[in-house]
Amino acid sequence: MEAFDPISPQWTQSATHALQFFCPHCGASSHQAQRVWINRRAPVIGENYQRKWQEFYQCECDRVWWAWSSDRPPTELSKRYQESQDNPDPEL
């Protein structure tokens, strides 16, 4: 699978840094990407000592963009997990 290849694919070389987590050219979300590659060989340590990676996307408009994994918007599943951590149920 290309997303986890250790060496960056050629198509990532023209990537533009997206300041928000969607294609800066057409506004498509990462879910609409034709290709994905995650640079797991070079993590960066961010706030609270958490790792983040560059995520590269080839959009359906054929533009290539990247963003930090830490900039990914929360999903419904991650929201529920955070809520359960903030409000643990004492009956469990």
Side-chain angles (χ1 to χ4, degrees):
M1 175 190 259
E2 189 172 280
F4 300 105
D5 283 348
I7 299 172
S8 64
Q10 185 64 34
W11 61 266
T12 62
Q13 303 307 310
S14 63
T16 301
H17 184 193
L19 300 178
Q20 296 181 346
F21 213 86
F22 53 80
C23 177
H25 179 71
C26 73
S29 78
S30 60
H31 301 284
Q32 296 168 283
Q34 297 174 357
R35 292 177 165 173
V36 176
W37 182 69
I38 301 170
N39 185 4
R40 302 208 27 117
R41 294 186 82 187
V44 173
I45 305 300
E47 297 174 14
N48 300 324
Y49 300 101
Q50 298 213 1
R51 287 187 219 175
K52 61 183 180 179
W53 293 269
Q54 286 177 295
E55 296 184 12
F56 291 80
Y57 298 92
Q58 183 178 24
C59 185
E60 59 189 7
C61 72
D62 286 328
R63 301 290 176 102
V64 179
W65 58 277
W66 71 271
W68 292 110
S69 59
S70 59
D71 294 340
R72 176 183 290 284
T75 64
E76 183 60 35
L77 184 60
S78 64
K79 288 177 189 175
R80 282 188 272 158
Y81 176 77
Q82 185 60 45
E83 288 171 2
S84 70
Q85 295 298 328
D86 292 343
N87 301 312
D89 187 354
E91 296 181 29
L92 293 178

